[in-house]
Amino acid sequence: MIPTRRRALVKTRTGLPLHFPSMSGWNDRPNSTWRVPSQLTGGRRRHFWLLFGLVVLVIFLITHIPNKSLTTTDEPKAKWAVPPTWEKLKQWERDLPQHNINLPFPEGKNGRYVKFSNQVKRLGWNNALNEILMNTHLAYESKRAYVFQPHVWKEEHYAWPPEVYRNHEFLPHTPLNAIISGPSAGGPWDMGDDAPRSISEEWFDVVCPPEERRIINTREVKPNIGWADGIDIFNHWKKILLDATERCIEVEPEHHTKDFYPQTFDLWLWGSTRVLSLWPMFSQSPTSRLLEPSPIVLSAVERNTYLFNPSGPRPELPVSRSPYERMLAIHARRGDFKEACLHLAKWNSTFYSWNLLEELPDSFTPPPGGKEGENTPENIENYLEHCLPQFDDVVAKVRDSRYEYQQQSKAGPKTLDVLFLLTNAKGEWLDQLKATLKEDGWHTIVTSKDLELDQEQTEVNMAVDMEIARRAAVFVGNGVRCCYFL
C-alpha cells in the first residue's frame, strides 16, 4: 500500500488535478536512503520500474489524449476555482459616510429606518431587483432609510458549487454594491434632497439594536389589502410606516405555510396587471432614475466592448460609431428554462411586471380553457411559443424586429448589424443559430459565453448581460422575465 500523507499535485490540460505519491512517502522508513535502479534488487527494482512506468503513462495521457477524454460530462460554470472574497467591497460598504452614529437627523442615532426582512431570497436576480427597488421607494416615501441586504442566490444559479462557498455559507451571498449602484445600495439621492440614505443591514444592527425595533409581521397587514391595486398596497404600507412613532421598524414575513409569498410586494402582484398602477410614480422616482450598474459591472462591459465593433462591410449610409446604437440584443434562454415555462403555463400566468405595459410592442393574454394548477395541451403549446421559442421562432423574431425598427425610425434609415445573444445555450443549437443569423446579414454576433470576465465579474455576469442589453438600440426580451433596463 502506498502512503498518501504527502502528495505532489500535477494539473492536467483540463485543470483537473492528478495526485501522485511523493517519492519521500514511497519508501518512508527510518534511516532509509534513495537508491538508483542499479542499487535496487529483486522486488524493489520491480516496484521502481512499475512506478516509473505509471508516471510515464500518465504524462503521455496528459499530453496526447484530447481534453474531452479527461473531463467530466458536466462543464464547470466558472473557470475560477473559487468565488471572490469581496472583502474590500464589504469594507467599503462598512465605511459608507451614513454609517455614523453622530450624524444629525434624519440619519444617525435619531434617524428613522425600515428593514424588510421579508424580502425575497433564493430567486432570480430580476425577481429580487423588483422588490429591492420598490421597497427602497416605499422607504423613501415614508421618510425612512432603506436597509439594503446582500443578494441571496438560488443555488443552481450560482457560478460555483456549494463546497467552495465563501466562509462555508449555507447559501451564497453577493454584496448588493457588486451588482448595482444608486440609492438602493447606499448611494446619494439628488442634490438638495434631504432623504436619509440607505444603510447596510450590518449597520442597522448597530443603530437599531433588537430591543429598539418595532416588529411588523406581514400577517398584520397583508390580509387587509388582499388583492388590491398596486398603488393602494403601496399607500397602505406608506401610511403605516409614516404614522409609526418608532425609529426602527423591521418587517418580518408570515410563516411560509400560511403565506408562501410573504413579501410586501409579492409575486401575485408582480404577475398581474395590478402592478401597472405603480409605474407612473415609480418610473419617475429618484429610486428608478438614479439606479446604475455597479463599477464591477461597468468594468466588465467596457473590457468587452471591442467584441461588438462591427466586422462586416462598410454600410452604404452614415452610421453611428457606437456599436450599441447598431445592436439588437435578444434573450434566448434554454436548458433549465423549459421546466420554468411549463410551470408558468400550468398556472395560467401572464407576462411579468413592467412587461405588461400596454405601450410595449408585444403582449400576451392567457388563452381561455386553463385554470390554476393545470392547463390544456393547446394552451401549454401557446405558452411555450412565448416563453421558450424554438429555433425558427428566434430567427423570425430577430428578422422581424430589425425590419420593424428600421421602418419606424423617424430619424431616417437605421443600421442594425451587431447582434448580442443573452443565452445559456451551447453546442449544436447555438452554432446553428449563429450560422443562420449570419446568413441573414448579421456579421457581428456575440453571445454571453463569449464575454471575458474576471473572478468578480463572473459572479455578477447576469447584470453584465443586462447592462449590455440596456445599451442596445433594440432589445427583445422574454415576457415572463422582468428587465429594468426597458
Side-chain angles (χ1 to χ4, degrees):
M1 181 175 179
I2 299 175
T4 58
R5 64 185 170 197
R6 297 179 62 190
R7 305 173 79 88
L9 181 65
V10 177
K11 283 201 171 182
T12 70
R13 291 166 56 196
T14 65
L16 299 176
L18 291 178
H19 294 279
F20 298 107
S22 67
M23 299 306 263
S24 59
W26 178 68
N27 191 25
D28 202 2
R29 295 185 300 172
N31 303 319
S32 65
T33 57
W34 280 103
R35 292 176 288 182
V36 296
S38 61
Q39 295 173 300
L40 299 177
T41 60
R44 291 182 179 177
R45 180 180 296 143
R46 286 194 298 273
H47 287 164
F48 176 87
W49 286 113
L50 282 172
L51 179 61
F52 179 80
L54 176 62
V55 172
V56 171
L57 175 62
V58 172
I59 293 174
F60 176 84
L61 291 174
I62 294 172
T63 56
H64 288 77
I65 292 182
N67 286 350
K68 64 182 181 181
S69 299
L70 294 177
T71 59
T72 62
T73 55
D74 294 328
E75 182 181 339
K77 293 182 180 179
K79 66 180 181 180
W80 307 91
V82 295
T85 66
W86 297 118
E87 286 306 318
K88 289 185 177 179
L89 183 58
K90 290 177 181 178
Q91 187 60 51
W92 181 88
E93 287 186 339
R94 294 186 190 104
D95 294 338
L96 285 170
Q98 58 265 43
H99 293 164
N100 182 346
I101 203 76
N102 297 316
L103 289 175
F105 182 85
E107 298 176 331
K109 62 184 177 182
N110 295 316
R112 288 165 62 85
Y113 305 90
V114 57
K115 178 183 179 182
F116 296 94
S117 294
N118 63 328
Q119 214 162 263
V120 70
K121 298 175 176 64
R122 298 179 71 183
L123 278 181
W125 165 240
N126 279 313
N127 298 94
L129 181 59
N130 272 316
E131 198 181 357
I132 289 169
L133 295 177
M134 197 58 70
N135 284 347
T136 302
H137 186 53
L138 175 59
Y140 175 83
E141 290 290 326
S142 305
K143 302 187 183 306
R144 292 179 180 270
Y146 171 72
V147 178
F148 66 83
Q149 305 163 51
H151 174 55
V152 181
W153 289 80
K154 190 176 183 180
E155 299 92 311
E156 53 264 42
H157 294 171
Y158 194 57
W160 286 275
E163 54 266 26
V164 297
Y165 287 173
R166 282 179 293 271
N167 302 319
H168 304 289
E169 293 173 328
F170 177 67
L171 293 171
H173 293 59
T174 299
L176 189 59
N177 278 281
I179 311 174
I180 63 171
S181 296
S184 292
W189 297 101
D190 285 317
M191 184 72 69
D193 192 335
D194 62 356
R197 293 163 290 185
S198 299
I199 64 168
S200 70
E201 64 174 355
E202 185 177 303
W203 182 250
F204 182 72
D205 289 338
V206 174
V207 76
C208 288
E211 63 272 14
E212 296 184 19
R213 301 176 197 174
R214 173 186 170 186
I215 304 298
I216 300 178
N217 194 288
T218 55
R219 66 170 170 267
E220 303 168 23
V221 180
K222 292 186 68 176
N224 300 322
I225 45 182
W227 296 85
D229 214 35
I231 192 66
D232 295 326
I233 293 174
F234 186 96
N235 287 332
H236 189 86
W237 278 99
K238 175 182 173 181
K239 186 176 189 309
I240 292 173
L241 296 177
L242 274 173
D243 292 348
T245 58
E246 295 85 358
R247 286 193 317 109
C248 304
I249 291 181
E250 181 174 2
V251 181
E252 290 189 342
E254 168 65 293
H255 194 273
H256 68 86
T257 58
K258 297 181 178 179
D259 185 357
F260 197 69
Y261 300 108
Q263 289 73 42
T264 305
F265 304 98
D266 60 28
L267 185 65
W268 303 117
L269 174 67
W270 291 112
S272 74
T273 55
R274 295 182 297 121
V275 76
L276 298 182
S277 59
L278 289 165
W279 177 250
M281 171 189 65
F282 174 75
S283 62
Q284 301 302 315
S285 72
T287 300
S288 177
R289 289 188 293 99
L290 300 176
L291 172 66
E292 294 181 340
S294 73
I296 292 168
V297 171
L298 288 175
S299 67
V301 174
E302 293 306 316
R303 74 179 292 184
N304 285 283
T305 294
Y306 76 96
L307 295 174
F308 302 107
N309 288 333
S311 57
R314 180 177 294 181
E316 297 179 1
L317 300 171
V319 294
S320 171
R321 295 180 63 250
S322 169
Y324 298 107
E325 294 183 13
R326 300 164 62 169
M327 178 187 292
L328 185 150
I330 182 168
H331 182 199
R333 185 171 168 181
R334 315 307 293 172
D336 63 323
F337 206 42
K338 183 173 182 179
E339 292 302 317
C341 292
L342 290 173
H343 178 77
L344 293 167
K346 184 175 72 172
W347 287 96
N348 221 32
S349 302
T350 64
F351 273 178
Y352 185 74
S353 183
W354 313 129
N355 292 307
L356 290 163
L357 289 168
E358 292 182 358
E359 55 264 40
L360 294 178
D362 292 327
S363 62
F364 174 69
T365 301
K371 59 183 179 180
E372 290 186 358
E374 60 182 87
N375 216 330
T376 66
E378 295 78 15
N379 284 355
I380 291 176
E381 190 65 30
N382 191 326
Y383 267 93
L384 291 178
E385 288 177 9
H386 292 83
C387 187
L388 193 74
Q390 298 306 302
F391 184 95
D392 291 341
D393 298 325
V394 175
V395 173
K397 191 63 178 179
V398 170
R399 195 175 291 155
D400 294 345
S401 298
R402 177 165 62 177
Y403 175 79
E404 292 171 8
Y405 174 73
Q406 292 172 334
Q407 292 299 308
Q408 295 175 9
S409 174
K410 298 179 180 179
K414 292 279 189 177
T415 296
L416 286 179
D417 56 0
V418 178
L419 185 64
F420 178 48
L421 299 173
L422 295 79
T423 185
N424 60 346
K426 56 186 178 182
E428 184 178 352
W429 190 92
L430 182 59
D431 292 340
Q432 185 59 44
L433 179 63
K434 291 165 63 177
T436 302
L437 293 170
K438 192 165 187 177
E439 291 175 0
D440 263 6
W442 295 96
H443 300 285
T444 304
I445 302 176
V446 181
T447 76
S448 300
K449 292 184 178 295
D450 295 326
L451 304 179
E452 282 292 330
L453 305 176
D454 65 23
Q455 190 182 30
E456 292 182 340
Q457 294 162 350
T458 295
E459 181 152 333
V460 297
N461 65 83
M462 72 293 187
V464 176
D465 273 5
M466 287 172 63
E467 175 59 14
I468 294 171
R470 186 194 67 80
R471 298 185 182 196
V474 178
F475 172 64
V476 181
N478 189 317
V480 302
R481 313 298 295 176
C482 182
C483 298
Y484 266 100
F485 44 73
L486 289 176

